[in-house]
């Protein structure tokens, strides 16, 4: 994997430094209006940094703002205050067209409930976002075949996603998210709809992708999934909890336990909105 990824976006060079943060979130605030005229403060001055090549798991109780954080990073929701910078690109204050371009270049998203297009074949589900990302049809189809081979789905290329098992559908969703070689792979409760065997398979896949150099931010309530990450960050009340960061989570200890397990990091109940699937490399990036 190269040390620099360059975007053609006019708002910045798009360079991703070999060292230093690939994602910088500073002072992020986001509120929602309710029918009772009492705003819900989803994010409350959140600061968050991710370095190139990290695998970060974000844990915390339901309602702490985890999906909102992912949506703001992906440019699917606009923060009330704060800055989100991916490489050299500050995504705050951008137009919808600019955000769509930045998503295609920088973001791949994986959702709990897959958000696949059953009317397209397995291969077409990957090739379509690759074409929208700028590849010619033959190059997009070749990229799709490469990813299907990588994720063990080559024999399913012509099938409909509807005939796949849950684990296969999530592997396809991950392949689709990787179609445009994203700077960041964002995953919102990707194992939430799977059984324990499927969850273990998908968690191991994320770890393998990270070993190959992919930067990953994964929201999860499952401590077994979180321990696959190199760092676990805990959120509460719309902010990162100080002192609740577990470094080296996926490094096994002397007796086989992981650092996250040994450190006592536990996640709260499930939380996933499944929002924005078709705007973030979910089914098809915005053209």
């Amino acid at each position: 994997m190269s040390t620099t990824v360059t975007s053609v976006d006019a708002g910045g060079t798009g360079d991703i430094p070999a060292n230093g943060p690939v994602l910088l979130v500073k002072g992020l605030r986001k509120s929602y209006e309710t029918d009772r005229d009492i705003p819900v403060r989803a994010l409350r001055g959140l600061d968050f940094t991710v370095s190139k090549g990290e695998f970060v798991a974000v844990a915390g109780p339901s309602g702490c703002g985890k999906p909102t954080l992912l949506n703001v990073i992906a440019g699917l929701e606009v923060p009330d205050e704060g800055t989100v910078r991916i490489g050299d690109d500050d995504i705050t204050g951008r137009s919808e067209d600019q955000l769509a371009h930045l998503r295609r270049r920088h973001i791949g998203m994986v959702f709990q409930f897959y958000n696949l297009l059953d009317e397209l074949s397995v291969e077409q589900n990957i090739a379509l976002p690759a074409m929208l990302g700028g590849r010619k049809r033959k190059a997009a189809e070749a990229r799709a075949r490469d990813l299907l081979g990588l994720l063990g789905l080559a024999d399913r290329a012509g099938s409909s996603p509807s005939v796949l098992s849950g684990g296969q559908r999530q592997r396809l969703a991950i392949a689709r998210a990787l179609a445009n070689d994203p700077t960041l792979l964002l995953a919102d409760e990707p194992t939430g709809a799977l059984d324990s065997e499927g969850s273990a398979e998908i968690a191991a896949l994320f770890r393998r992708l990270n070993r190959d150099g992919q930067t990953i931010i994964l929201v999860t309530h499952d401590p077994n999934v979180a321990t696959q990450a190199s760092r676990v960050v805990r959120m509460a009340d719309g902010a990162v909890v100080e002192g609740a960061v577990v470094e080296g989570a996926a490094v096994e200890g002397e007796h086989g336990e992981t650092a996250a397990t040994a450190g006592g990091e536990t996640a709260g109940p499930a939380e996933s909105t499944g929002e924005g699937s078709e705007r973030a490399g979910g089914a098809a990036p915005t053209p």
Side-chain angles (χ1 to χ4, degrees), residues 9-137:
D9 183 71
T13 67
D15 289 344
I16 306 300
N19 298 307
V22 68
L23 172 69
L24 176 64
V25 175
K26 190 71 175 174
L28 211 59
R29 296 182 182 276
K30 176 67 178 179
S31 297
Y32 299 97
E33 297 297 327
T34 67
D35 293 339
R36 292 176 291 179
D37 295 325
I38 302 174
V40 173
R41 294 189 295 166
L43 300 176
R44 309 183 186 190
L46 184 142
D47 297 329
F48 184 54
T49 302
V50 176
S51 297
K52 182 178 174 64
E54 271 199 293
F55 180 3
V56 180
V58 181
S62 179
C64 71
K66 302 188 301 292
T68 302
L69 174 62
L70 288 192
N71 287 342
V72 172
I73 292 171
L76 297 174
E77 297 189 39
V78 178
D80 301 328
E81 297 179 28
T83 299
V84 177
R85 181 176 290 274
I86 304 174
D88 190 51
D89 286 313
D90 186 344
I91 73 168
T92 48
R94 299 298 189 98
S95 69
E96 282 297 324
D97 286 344
Q98 289 172 327
L99 287 172
H101 178 86
L102 288 169
R103 279 195 294 272
R104 287 195 295 267
R105 185 65 198 93
H106 285 307
I107 302 295
M109 288 199 77
V110 181
F111 301 91
Q112 178 175 349
F113 296 108
Y114 323 124
N115 296 315
L116 300 167
L117 296 176
D118 288 341
E119 62 270 26
L120 300 181
S121 71
V122 164
E123 181 178 308
Q124 290 168 338
N125 265 270
I126 305 170
L128 177 59
M131 286 188 288
L132 291 173
R135 282 181 167 88
K136 300 294 186 183
R137 178 181 292 275

Side-chain angles (χ1 to χ4, degrees), residues 180-245:
N180 290 315
D181 299 303
T183 304
L184 296 173
L185 182 61
L186 308 180
D188 185 5
E189 301 282 7
T191 64
L194 303 177
D195 60 20
S196 58
E197 182 178 350
S199 295
E201 173 192 326
I202 295 302
L205 174 57
F206 277 111
R207 187 174 179 182
R208 175 158 64 93
L209 292 171
N210 176 247
R211 284 172 171 167
D212 290 339
Q214 179 65 55
T215 306
I216 301 171
I217 304 172
L218 182 150
V219 161
T220 184
H221 70 281
D222 186 341
N224 294 319
V225 174
T227 57
Q228 297 296 315
S230 55
R231 179 160 63 104
V232 180
V233 174
R234 187 170 176 82
M235 285 183 63
D237 299 325
V240 172
V241 179
E242 271 195 65
V245 177

Side-chain angles (χ1 to χ4, degrees), residues 262-278:
E265 172 66 25
T266 56
E271 174 193 22
S272 178
T273 61
E275 296 173 354
S277 59
E278 307 218 350

